Structures are given as structure tokens and as C-alpha cells.
Amino acid sequence: MNDWDRLAEDADASNELVRVKAERDRLARQLHETKHKHADYLAAVEAAVQDAVGRIQIAPVATQKRSANEPAEEEYAVALLSDLQTGKLTPDYNSTVARERVMRYAQKIVGLAETQRLHHPVRHCVIPMLGDMVEGVDIFPGQQWLIDSTLYDQLFNTTPALLADFVRYLLAHFETVTVYAVDGNHGRIGRRGQFGPMDNADRMLYRILAMLLRDEPRFQLHMADPQGERNWYQVMQLGNYTAMLIHGDQIRGHSGFPWYGLGKKVNGWGSGGIPEKFRDVFMGHYHQLARIPLNQRSVWVNGSTESTNTYASESLAAQSEPSQWLLFVDPNAGRVTASYGVDLKEES
């Protein structure tokens, strides 16, 4: 390569360097302008938002004070009680444990009612007793090995005293206590069909409870007493709220909870299967705490105070914690406004 060629090559390289620097400077100016335009855009948006929001005037929230002449609407405490099965014996359940858990339930009812009273009066307690208050002694083969007391003791010693103490504890914290009672299948005397349908230990127990508290004017017991028939249901009415009370053995099933059978039966009763109209259904029997919506109705399935049921483990692969439903009902609106699944396990 001669000198002229080298000079020409150097000139081309110099020109390319100049071009690259010019392109770099152009891109730098473009980036600078873009950043400033973006900043100007954000500033414009911020100014527009501040201007728009600044034009909005929202008055401060006024504190609403309830007039002394305008008390809050009253509600009822509705404490479902079922499936105590006093006399039943399991690895960690017996008549003594049943008493402890039922009285723990009474204490929790009062505590939860006090919480509700921070907002509205709760003067009256209603107790739907849904059956199987006693275990019985001979309603299925081999039951004699699974009890800690005779039917005599269940019916005249342990259970009446327990229910009377439960009601009396609540009477000390409510103006009235009202019981609505139906029979369970464990109250049956003997095997199915061996005695008449009126011969039910639950039904006898409710009468004994009424006699024990006969001098208490703030206590009432409502129980259907059909001649020659089982006291299998009644409809409870609290103002505009109604609930059909059953034990639950009317719903036949196997291998667990009978979801289909429940819907069929409740819809049948609601469409004329019984003469009374009702909003909800309360039941026990299955020892599982549940709320089941059926269109405009709710079925409240109560738990049990028992625990460690080995039969349920082996045959149904099921087990439940001791619990009961406590509901609060607005009698004017005719609906349940609050519900508590009350845990009855021993305090840790």
C-alpha cells in the first residue's frame, strides 16, 4: 500500500468516527428530550389530578348517637342442646364429662350473649332440646357394655340434675329461659317396636325437668304430647322467626350424613308434609356441626357433647369434636343474625 492509499484509508476512518460521534450525540439529545417530555407529561397528569380532586368536597362523617328513646332491636339467644347421651361410656367420655361440658356450654352462652349485648339487648334465652339427652340401655345389641349407668340413674339422677343446673345457670343471666323439646331415638325403651312410641326416656326427662323447675316463673317448657304417638317434631316460633325441630333420625342414611335424604324430607315437610309453616330446621342425631342451605331455608345440624366414638371411627370413618350451636335470632326480621359453633373441649 502506498502513501496515498494510507491517507485515503485514514480519511475514511476519521469520517466514520465523526459520523458515529454525531449519531451518539443525536441519540443523547433524543433521550434527553424524551425524558423531559415524560417528566412534563407526569407533571401535567399530577397537576390535573390535584386540580380535579381539589374540587371535590366531602363532609366529615357525623357521629350517630342512638336516642335514649330508640333502643336497639332485641334478639334472642337460641342455644341448641342435643345428643348429650348421658350414661354413654367411651375412652374419654362418661356422665361426669358430660356434666362438665354442658356446664362449660352454659358459661360460653353467657359470655357470647354479653358480647352481643354490646350492640343490642339479649334478654331471653331459648333452648331447643333436640333429643338423645340420655344414652339408653337396650336400643341396640351390645349397648350394655358401652354405658356407665342404668336407665334409672340416667333418667332420675344424673340427667335431670344436669339439665336443671344448666337452666338455672342461664336463668341467672337472662330474664327468661324457654325450652322446646322433641324426642330422640336413644330415649326409646327397648328395641324398635318393642314398646309404644310414647315410652321414650327423653319425653319422661322433659317432664321431670318441668317438675323440678315448677316454682320458677321465668321458666317455660313447650313439648308436644300426642297420645299414642311419638313427640317427633314441633315448630318453634319467635316473633316472625320459625324453625321446625326434629331429632334427625327421621332422615335415613348410611355411611355418613344423608345429604340427599335431608333435602328431600325438608322440602317435603315445607311443601305441606306438616301443617305448620317454618323458616329453618334444627336437628341433631348425626353428631356433626353443620349449616346446610336449602334455597331460602337453613338446616342447622347440631353436634354432640361426646367424643372418641369408636363405632363412628370403625363403621363410618368419622369423628367429631364436642360442640353445640348457639344462634342469635332477630324476631322482627325473622332470621338468624349470628351463629357460633361452640367448642366444648376441655380448656388447655
Side-chain angles (χ1 to χ4, degrees):
M1 180 182 294
N2 57 36
D3 292 340
W4 289 106
D5 291 336
R6 280 195 295 271
L7 288 173
E9 186 176 319
D10 291 343
D12 290 340
S14 178
N15 291 336
E16 179 63 18
L17 180 60
V18 170
R19 189 188 67 78
V20 170
K21 288 182 177 181
E23 181 66 15
R24 180 201 63 188
D25 293 341
R26 185 185 68 80
L27 292 175
R29 288 193 302 271
Q30 186 178 4
L31 178 61
H32 178 77
E33 291 173 358
T34 300
K35 286 183 176 180
H36 277 276
K37 287 181 180 179
H38 183 67
D40 292 343
Y41 172 76
L42 291 179
V45 171
E46 183 178 356
V49 170
Q50 289 179 349
D51 181 63
V53 173
R55 297 173 185 273
I56 300 173
Q57 294 184 346
I58 301 177
V61 177
T63 301
Q64 293 189 358
K65 295 183 179 180
R66 186 177 297 276
S67 171
N69 298 324
E70 187 185 357
E73 293 292 338
E74 179 180 8
E75 294 187 1
Y76 292 175
V78 180
L80 277 60
L81 188 68
S82 73
D83 299 280
L84 313 183
Q85 297 183 216
T86 56
K88 186 168 190 172
L89 186 63
T90 80
D92 61 359
Y93 189 70
N94 53 43
S95 297
T96 301
V97 175
R99 163 172 277 277
E100 292 171 354
R101 290 177 179 170
V102 170
M103 297 311 296
R104 183 177 299 119
Y105 182 36
Q107 294 168 4
K108 291 191 174 186
I109 291 169
V110 171
L112 291 168
E114 290 297 335
T115 299
Q116 294 287 318
R117 285 169 178 155
L118 297 174
H119 178 262
H120 53 261
V122 183
R123 301 186 183 94
H124 307 285
C125 183
V126 178
I127 309 171
M129 292 189 180
L130 304 175
D132 279 10
M133 316 307 282
V134 298
E135 169 65 11
V137 294
D138 190 33
I139 69 168
F140 61 84
Q143 189 181 19
Q144 68 270 24
W145 307 110
L146 303 173
I147 57 176
D148 67 6
S149 54
T150 65
L151 183 60
Y152 174 83
D153 282 328
Q154 295 173 30
L155 191 53
F156 291 100
N157 291 328
T158 55
T159 321
L162 171 56
L163 293 185
D165 289 345
F166 178 74
V167 170
R168 285 168 56 81
Y169 185 93
L170 295 175
L171 279 169
H173 299 275
F174 293 90
E175 292 182 11
T176 67
V177 174
T178 304
V179 168
Y180 291 83
V182 295
D183 298 346
N185 61 301
H186 272 262
R188 188 179 68 238
I189 308 297
R191 309 295 171 86
R192 189 181 301 276
Q194 186 175 355
F195 293 89
M198 294 180 65
D199 293 327
N200 188 289
D202 283 336
R203 194 168 181 172
M204 300 175 193
L205 177 64
Y206 300 141
R207 287 300 180 197
I208 295 170
L209 177 63
M211 287 188 286
L212 288 174
L213 300 177
R214 63 186 177 276
D215 295 326
E216 178 51 73
R218 298 184 296 119
F219 169 76
Q220 286 187 334
L221 183 139
H222 299 281
M223 182 181 73
D225 198 11
Q227 291 299 305
E229 300 289 342
R230 179 185 174 188
N231 168 37
W232 71 272
Y233 89 96
Q234 66 172 303
V235 173
M236 176 188 76
Q237 182 162 3
L238 305 176
N240 294 321
Y241 180 77
T242 53
M244 180 184 182
L245 315 183
I246 60 173
H247 175 59
D249 60 311
Q250 296 80 10
I251 319 296
R252 300 298 174 85
H254 64 281
S255 299
F257 193 87
W259 302 99
Y260 172 77
L262 176 68
K264 186 175 184 297
K265 276 287 183 73
V266 171
N267 289 331
W269 289 322
S271 62
I274 63 171
E276 302 92 340
K277 302 298 181 184
F278 59 91
R279 167 68 183 266
D280 290 342
V281 175
F282 297 164
M283 61 176 280
H285 186 61
Y286 285 93
H287 296 201
Q288 298 180 43
L289 210 64
R291 173 184 174 270
I292 303 165
L294 296 175
N295 294 327
Q296 298 300 312
R297 292 189 173 90
S298 287
V299 178
W300 299 89
V301 185
N302 205 29
S304 170
T305 54
E306 74 157 30
S307 52
T308 315
N309 187 317
T310 52
Y311 168 81
S313 293
E314 179 180 1
S315 301
L316 305 177
Q319 205 68 217
S320 295
E321 298 288 359
S323 58
Q324 301 278 277
W325 273 121
L326 173 62
L327 312 178
F328 289 88
V329 168
D330 184 332
N332 293 323
R335 61 187 178 88
V336 174
T337 60
S339 59
Y340 297 87
V342 181
D343 182 359
L344 301 180
K345 293 191 297 292
E346 291 72 13
E347 302 294 343
S348 58

